[in-house]
Amino acid sequence: MQLPNPNPLFSDEVDEAEATGVAGGDRFLIKPNGDQMMIKNHTVHANGIRQHYLEAGSGAPVVLLHGFPETNFAWRHQIPELAKRFRVIAPDLRGYGETDKPASGYDKRTMANDLHELMRELDIPKVALAGHDRGARVATRFAKDHPDALDRLVVMDNVPTRIVARDLDAKKAKAYWFFMFHLVPDLPEALIAGREDLWLRHFFSDWCYNPHAISGEAFDTYVRAYRRPGAVRGAMADYRANAEDNAQDLADADIKILCPVLSLWGADFYAVGQMFDMAKVWSEMADNLHVYEIPHCGHLPQEEQPEIVNRLLLDFLNGWNG
């Protein structure tokens, strides 16, 4: 039996669950062996904002940071699998989903501090951290600014900000047109309002190997999220911090990430894996580096190829005991 889900930011579609349901906005999974797993919604005030996060499982903490144009719903295929072995925490980033969308604070140092202060509130001294897209930028800054709080790092389909800026040419500028568009004050919000579905449909169709990978209820979930007041402005503010992000990255460009790093990307996304030598890119960032190119995959590996991503994450997280 599948019960209706009153929480529009978490779908009723979860793999390998015999039955699912919701209770008070939280989600429970009933496994074939009868065990239940609860995916709970929480909010906490940390670093001056109200942060929303999903939590499931127990054990060593693993934090998942989503990218654009997503929310923590992006990790719906990973949370149930990782939570079998770990305490999984998936926040909505500042400006996204159910987390506050203030007027400022979108530079990646502040957003990394959002996570650090969330960890402090939860009494978590160290995590394993995975970030995709914009979340990978936050995770990379976290690794530089808070190395003692990080055991290992996963970055998904992401080229660091300073390297995008350094290597920008006409071909790359065309691929990264949305970087420039999102920088324009106010205009994107005005043009996107009431057309969030068209805006999101373009990205999901253009960025995924299978243009229909994000469809149906999953697509509708994202549309609802980005139609919330302030949601588009929050995402734009994330991009509008690019100059400050680049300055932060340049200031410590010679300092490599100390912990083990797994960089994975979609083989078929024209703006990342097909445009950059990703192994070379991330060898500039870390010495203890593992890389993996995912076939038949675009920009959203965790949604396009969840089984491969789950296997890679579990293998890389092996030995993390908190």
Side-chain angles (χ1 to χ4, degrees):
M1 177 181 180
Q2 190 162 336
L3 304 177
N5 183 0
N7 181 355
L9 295 183
F10 210 83
S11 169
D12 285 323
E13 299 174 2
V14 175
D15 294 338
E16 300 181 6
E18 189 170 83
T20 66
V22 293
D26 295 322
R27 176 174 182 77
F28 61 87
L29 312 178
I30 304 174
K31 295 297 182 179
N33 64 3
D35 291 343
Q36 290 192 20
M37 176 187 298
M38 183 72 76
I39 300 176
K40 295 186 70 66
N41 287 271
H42 295 284
T43 57
V44 65
H45 283 83
N47 206 31
I49 62 171
R50 183 176 186 256
Q51 299 190 41
H52 169 252
Y53 64 96
L54 299 172
E55 182 174 9
S58 61
V62 175
V63 174
L64 307 175
L65 301 180
H66 68 84
F68 169 88
E70 297 164 301
T71 65
N72 58 15
F73 176 72
W75 302 109
R76 64 197 178 278
H77 301 296
Q78 284 68 52
I79 293 173
E81 292 304 308
L82 296 181
K84 294 174 183 177
R85 291 171 49 185
F86 302 101
R87 178 185 180 187
V88 182
I89 296 168
D92 281 327
L93 295 173
R94 174 185 295 248
Y96 293 87
E98 297 289 347
T99 290
D100 278 351
K101 301 161 182 62
S104 61
Y106 293 88
D107 66 282
K108 297 308 160 287
R109 174 157 288 135
T110 300
M111 293 179 76
N113 286 338
D114 288 343
L115 173 57
H116 197 249
E117 292 304 306
L118 175 62
M119 290 168 56
R120 191 191 307 275
E121 289 292 326
L122 300 180
D123 195 27
I124 298 174
K126 181 177 282 192
V127 297
L129 180 59
H132 167 251
D133 184 72
R134 308 302 295 180
R137 302 187 194 284
V138 177
T140 301
R141 178 46 50 197
F142 185 93
K144 293 288 190 82
D145 288 359
H146 305 285
D148 293 339
L150 185 61
D151 183 79
R152 62 196 73 188
L153 173 67
V154 182
V155 287
M156 297 189 189
D157 216 73
N158 178 254
V159 180
T161 304
R162 68 173 177 83
I163 295 178
V164 174
R166 182 192 70 192
D167 295 353
L168 196 66
D169 56 23
K171 182 180 179 181
K172 292 182 178 66
K174 182 179 179 181
Y176 284 79
W177 65 269
F178 57 96
F179 269 46
M180 322 309 169
F181 174 61
H182 292 171
L183 293 178
V184 180
D186 301 326
L187 182 62
E189 292 93 319
L191 295 177
I192 293 165
R195 304 178 182 88
E196 293 85 0
D197 56 336
L198 298 177
W199 176 64
L200 291 170
R201 185 70 269 161
H202 168 80
F203 289 120
F204 288 133
S205 294
D206 188 52
W207 288 357
C208 293
Y209 175 78
N210 173 3
H212 304 290
I214 313 298
S215 297
E217 178 60 24
F219 178 70
D220 292 344
T221 296
Y222 286 124
V223 172
R224 288 192 295 265
Y226 280 89
R227 281 181 173 161
R228 298 287 298 276
V232 173
R233 174 183 53 78
M236 299 302 98
D238 182 8
Y239 282 89
R240 289 167 188 158
N242 275 2
E244 192 170 357
D245 295 341
N246 189 50
Q248 292 171 2
D249 287 356
L250 290 172
D252 58 12
D254 59 334
I255 300 175
K256 288 197 171 184
I257 296 169
L258 298 177
C259 68
V261 176
L262 169 64
S263 174
L264 57 88
W265 62 91
D268 300 286
F269 184 41
Y270 61 86
V272 177
Q274 294 185 349
M275 187 164 285
F276 290 87
D277 181 339
M278 290 296 287
K280 181 179 179 182
V281 162
W282 278 95
S283 69
E284 292 188 39
M285 304 295 294
D287 288 325
N288 190 348
L289 178 65
H290 310 261
V291 298
Y292 195 93
E293 182 178 77
I294 300 175
H296 298 148
C297 184
H299 183 50
L300 309 177
Q302 74 276 30
E303 301 200 60
E304 296 182 67
Q305 295 287 359
E307 292 184 0
I308 295 175
V309 168
N310 290 349
R311 174 175 56 81
L312 291 170
L313 289 176
L314 288 168
D315 286 349
F316 186 67
L317 292 169
N318 187 42
W320 167 229
N321 299 312

